[in-house]
Amino acid sequence: MEKNKQDIEINDMSNDEQMMPLFAGGEDDNSPLKCNDGDMLPLLPLRNMVLAPDVITPIQIGRSSSLELVKEANKKKLEIVVATQVQAETEDPGQNDIYTIGTIARVLKVIKLPNNVTTAIISGKRKAIIKDVNNEGKYLKATVELLPEIEEDINDTKNNALKDILRKTTCRVLKESDAPNDLLFVVKNVSTLTELTSFIITNFPLETADKIKALRCDTLTKCAEQLLVLISKEEEIINLKNEIHSKAKFNIDKQQRDYFLQQQLRQIQEELGETSQSEIDDLQRKAYKMKWDNATHETFTKELHKLEHYHPSSPEYAVQLNYLETLLSLPWGITTVDHFDIKKAETILNKDHYGLDKVKQRILEHLAVLKYKGDMKAPILCLYGPPGVGKTSLGRSIATAIGRKYVRMSLGGIHDEAEIRGHRRTYIGAMPGRIIKNLSKAGSANPVFVLDEIDKLAADIKGDPASALLEVLDPEQNSTFHDNFLDIDFDLSNVFFIATANDVTKIPRALRDRMEMIEVNGYDIDEKIEIASKHLIPKQKKEHALADICPTITKNTIQEIAARYTAEAGVRDLDRKIAKLMRTVAFKASKGEELPKRINPGDLKDFLGNPRYDYDKKETAQVGVVNGMAWSSVGGDLLFIESSINDGEGGKLTMTGNLGDVMTESAKLALEFIKAHCKEFGIEYDYVKKHSLHLHFPEGATPKDGPSAGIAILTCLVSTLTGRTVKPNLAMSGEISLRGKVLPVGGLKEKVLAAKRAGITDIILCKKNQNDIEEIEQKYLQGVTFHYVTEMREVLSLALQPA
């Protein structure tokens, strides 16, 4: 029982020298009560103490208002009502701070002790209900309703048995608790069950709420039975403590003492199934709100039960707590509502990204289906194409368009399977995989989840993360995704996965098969102008705070920047060049230089320096020089092929220009085809046999490979051997076979855009590539004539001018 000198409380009963409680009924306290129902009596609030009828007890007075009350009641012989506070810490209790049941009492004596301590001797008389509390005067007053007095039948066999059992149990508990002998003496010699129950309610160390329940009982038997249950529980706890002491007994030093206390706590928790850790209560409250299935709920309950038996300072406690907090942080069954306004979604997508019509169409198709079938599994898309074309940022726009949360996870350089699936909890520092952690951050089970740079995954001795993604990206499996840390299934079927990649050939076939591949092509010059005008320039003006002073940048200027200062399929480098231009504007303005009203193409040298690229670099009509077309992860480009013939070392073919194996084989194949058809091309076989050929691909620092230069290589060699000039403004791309067949190639949009930028007007392609060209928007093809062929003879007749 906690003591505070400012409170009203009973003295500590462990002190043998203090006044002991007595029973009411003496000569000074035997007169009948004067109060009636509805009377308003002075109210004395007690802390951590309950006064029962028929008991006289000393109470220390701390509050000035309470001191005024007991003095006046003692002087005027007033009857008062004594009640217990609901919260002991309340300094100025009111109507709602006091239990509604109390005891009518009399103040027998007020004693002033040393150290300015005042004690009042209070005699409890009769139980009463407290109606209205008034705090307007010097002290509290309350209207009371008297409860019927309980008459005890001393001949009642059950009550007598209860009295004996209750007395013996109480004596045993007091004896085990090392209580003062005075208390034991009173309990042993009490004569009636009424006095015994009143004494226990007033003096026995039980919870205040339990004492109030006992005081409310309307029969003596109920009150005695309730007290017997409470005291028996106290006896059981004491017995368990004694048992724990015997189990944990050993030689105690400082470290052993700490361990001993831990053993005690663990034993108590095992026997009672309880813990005092506040984290447990928080976890239980959070778990109550979770939308779990039965299996997950059983797992959580089981793991929480384990946590209750760990000591907070043990490593196991931290690991277990982290696991449970992870379970609670996941969005089990929490989803956002999709927006099915197709027109609005289309507007958002068009506002954020220029072009990318195929991707936008696929997203809008999915929304249209979801509008009619709400439980459709989310699609798994893979956007592949050159850098800087907006693949990653498209994911955020999709999330905005359909009203979902957005999550991005970069896969570049990941080489540990545990990054995807998580670590098993047997490892120190174990944690869930990045899929689960990102869903926890999103707070939703159906976000738009961007898996960025999926083609940059690596594999080593720690496992293959690409294989771990097979389960994540399979609609038939990801509804039961298993994270090693959670060790239970989590539903990913509602997650809208969008993967991005530059080179799809580096994605494992099994993983690629699980995704819907959507090509995001590079931008032509017109698209770059629109993107720069609508997005990049306003963004850079805002970032550099130049909205008011920056000169107007014309479309011709943007075209010049895109064509001669950048060489990319996307707009990332274009964005950097515009940012550099803004910095130069800010620098000139800070120096006080006069800025032009608009920046024209001729002014760019002052702002960006000399141009770095020349897109009018196509080769003119020459012998032994051909314009090929190449594709790379950064877009398309022209591939120049040169050849020369020399005396000596007959039949030898020398190749330079940093070539790969496939391109080298294409060159050898072309030469063998020429040797086999010398007469048809007007070439003497002995001439070929007596001379050596040199094939060169400029820009030797750039690696080159692939079969698509086959027809260009053969054309270049035939031009050199026959002396026939290659037609101007002509480019070509296609693979050749040993029999002279022309085979189809890929990356045509990027190649066509590169050729168009360079001023090419005629392009030779395989007949089978005609469908691919027809799928490209017509605006990209304007000004270019396509020639479709099936054999090399057709290529040579189209490419070479007459001798």
Side-chain angles (χ1 to χ4, degrees), residues 707-777:
S708 65
I711 64 173
I713 293 172
L714 195 151
T715 302
C716 182
L717 293 175
V718 171
S719 173
T720 298
L721 290 169
T722 61
R724 296 169 64 183
T725 304
V726 179
K727 291 180 180 179
N729 302 324
L730 175 71
M732 60 189 73
S733 182
E735 184 180 353
I736 61 171
S737 71
L738 188 59
R739 295 178 297 164
K741 299 290 183 182
V742 179
L743 305 179
V745 294
L748 289 179
K749 182 180 179 182
E750 287 80 4
K751 293 177 180 178
V752 170
L753 291 177
K756 187 178 177 182
R757 285 196 300 265
I760 297 295
T761 59
D762 294 271
I763 296 177
I764 299 175
L765 295 172
C766 173
K767 178 68 175 177
K768 293 182 179 180
N769 281 130
Q770 185 171 356
N771 292 335
D772 299 322
I773 295 297
E774 290 175 354
E775 289 182 358
I776 300 175
E777 292 184 46

Side-chain angles (χ1 to χ4, degrees), residues 208-373:
T208 301
D210 292 333
K211 291 184 177 183
I212 292 295
K213 288 181 182 178
L215 189 64
R216 290 184 188 275
C217 292
D218 55 1
T219 67
L220 188 59
T221 302
K222 287 182 182 179
C223 180
E225 288 175 344
Q226 189 166 332
L227 291 173
L228 181 59
V229 170
L230 295 171
I231 295 175
S232 297
K233 183 178 179 182
E234 293 291 325
E235 183 180 24
E236 184 180 349
I237 293 173
I238 290 173
N239 291 336
L240 288 174
K241 286 182 179 180
N242 292 334
E243 183 181 346
I244 293 167
H245 275 289
S246 62
K247 288 182 179 180
K249 194 173 182 180
F250 56 87
N251 294 329
I252 296 179
D253 56 18
K254 186 179 184 304
Q255 292 182 348
Q256 290 173 328
R257 177 180 177 277
D258 294 340
Y259 181 75
F260 171 71
L261 295 176
Q262 292 176 9
Q263 290 291 325
Q264 282 189 309
L265 179 60
R266 183 172 298 178
Q267 290 292 334
I268 291 172
Q269 292 172 343
E270 288 178 357
E271 294 294 338
L272 297 180
E274 299 174 353
T275 178
S276 60
Q277 298 299 319
S278 60
E279 289 91 345
I280 303 297
D281 297 332
D282 292 338
L283 294 174
Q284 289 175 332
R285 282 194 294 271
K286 292 177 182 177
Y288 181 75
K289 302 176 183 178
M290 302 303 293
K291 300 177 182 178
W292 281 332
D293 55 25
N294 292 334
T296 306
H297 184 269
E298 289 175 4
T299 300
F300 178 84
T301 304
K302 177 183 175 183
E303 298 299 329
L304 183 64
H305 184 65
K306 289 182 182 178
L307 180 68
E308 292 173 345
H309 295 87
Y310 291 142
H311 190 271
S313 63
S314 65
E316 295 87 353
Y317 184 89
V319 173
Q320 195 71 4
L321 182 61
N322 180 41
Y323 173 74
L324 294 172
E325 287 178 340
T326 300
L327 277 182
L328 291 170
S329 67
L330 288 173
W332 301 91
I334 301 174
T335 57
T336 54
V337 179
D338 290 335
H339 299 161
F340 297 123
D341 189 336
I342 306 300
K343 291 184 178 179
K344 181 179 178 182
E346 186 176 13
T347 301
I348 293 174
L349 292 176
N350 289 333
K351 177 184 176 183
D352 293 344
H353 291 81
Y354 188 84
L356 307 179
D357 294 330
K358 281 187 179 180
V359 184
K360 295 175 183 176
Q361 181 65 25
R362 178 62 185 89
I363 301 304
L364 296 175
E365 288 172 358
H366 174 67
L367 292 181
V369 175
L370 275 179
K371 186 174 183 179
Y372 297 102
K373 189 177 186 298

Side-chain angles (χ1 to χ4, degrees), residues 539-595:
K539 182 188 77 170
Q540 293 298 342
K541 282 184 177 179
K542 181 178 179 181
E543 290 184 359
H544 292 81
L546 296 175
D548 298 329
I549 64 172
C550 183
T552 302
I553 302 175
T554 65
K555 288 192 174 183
N556 289 335
T557 304
I558 300 173
Q559 180 177 350
E560 182 73 6
I561 296 173
R564 305 196 65 190
Y565 288 86
T566 67
E568 59 175 349
V571 293
R572 196 168 286 157
D573 196 27
L574 178 60
D575 188 33
R576 285 192 287 265
K577 290 297 182 289
I578 293 174
K580 181 180 179 182
L581 188 149
M582 294 296 171
R583 292 195 297 271
T584 307
V585 169
F587 176 72
K588 289 178 177 293
S590 64
K591 290 175 62 178
E593 296 184 17
E594 184 178 353
L595 296 173

Side-chain angles (χ1 to χ4, degrees), residues 416-541:
D416 188 353
E417 178 191 353
E419 292 282 346
I420 307 298
R421 289 186 179 275
H423 304 82
R424 299 189 184 278
R425 281 186 288 153
T426 52
Y427 298 104
I428 296 176
M431 54 185 173
R434 294 176 64 182
I435 298 289
I436 293 297
K437 285 197 288 187
N438 278 289
L439 286 176
S440 177
K441 291 179 183 177
S444 170
N446 66 335
V448 172
F449 201 125
V450 175
L451 299 169
D452 209 9
E453 309 292 357
I454 198 171
D455 58 328
K456 307 298 191 299
L457 287 169
D460 62 8
I461 194 172
K462 295 181 180 179
D464 183 7
S467 299
L469 281 174
L470 293 177
E471 181 184 6
V472 176
L473 299 181
D474 190 339
E476 301 302 323
Q477 299 182 44
N478 63 10
S479 60
T480 55
F481 173 67
H482 189 87
D483 185 276
N484 291 328
F485 181 80
L486 293 182
D487 204 25
I488 53 177
D489 294 336
F490 190 86
D491 187 2
L492 298 179
S493 62
N494 293 318
V495 178
F496 193 157
F497 284 107
I498 300 176
T500 70
N502 298 128
D503 189 356
V504 293
T505 61
K506 295 181 180 179
I507 304 175
R509 184 174 182 82
L511 184 58
R512 192 166 66 242
D513 184 59
R514 283 163 166 78
M515 300 182 289
E516 182 177 344
M517 309 300 293
I518 299 178
E519 185 176 9
V520 184
N521 296 306
Y523 300 111
D524 68 359
I525 197 70
D526 293 331
E527 288 178 322
K528 290 183 178 182
I529 291 172
E530 291 297 322
I531 292 170
S533 300
K534 295 179 179 179
H535 299 283
L536 303 183
I537 292 177
K539 182 188 77 170
Q540 293 298 342
K541 282 184 177 179

Side-chain angles (χ1 to χ4, degrees), residues 1-3 7-13 18-19 21 46-50 57-60 202-204 211:
M1 194 175 300
E2 186 180 352
K3 292 203 308 180
D7 298 341
I8 302 171
E9 58 184 24
I10 189 169
N11 285 342
D12 187 354
M13 301 308 294
Q18 69 183 3
M19 291 182 292
L46 304 183
R47 300 177 194 254
N48 298 322
M49 176 184 174
V50 178
T57 186
I59 299 175
Q60 282 190 5
T202 305
N203 297 287
F204 200 86
K211 291 184 177 183

Side-chain angles (χ1 to χ4, degrees), residues 147-219:
L147 292 176
E149 292 187 290
I150 301 174
E151 297 292 338
E152 179 180 355
D153 184 0
I154 60 175
N155 296 318
D156 188 302
T157 305
K158 183 177 181 180
N159 284 351
N160 288 332
L162 265 176
K163 179 180 67 176
D164 291 339
I165 295 172
L166 186 57
R167 188 206 316 274
K168 291 178 181 178
T169 306
T170 306
C171 287
R172 287 198 302 270
V173 172
L174 291 174
K175 194 175 295 184
E176 291 292 338
S177 303
D178 296 326
N181 292 331
D182 293 347
L183 287 178
L184 280 170
F185 178 80
V186 173
V187 174
K188 287 180 179 179
N189 293 282
V190 72
S191 59
T192 65
L193 183 59
T194 301
E195 293 176 346
L196 180 59
T197 55
S198 295
F199 179 82
I200 292 172
I201 290 173
T202 305
N203 297 287
F204 200 86
L206 297 172
E207 292 291 332
T208 301
D210 292 333
K211 291 184 177 183
I212 292 295
K213 288 181 182 178
L215 189 64
R216 290 184 188 275
C217 292
D218 55 1
T219 67

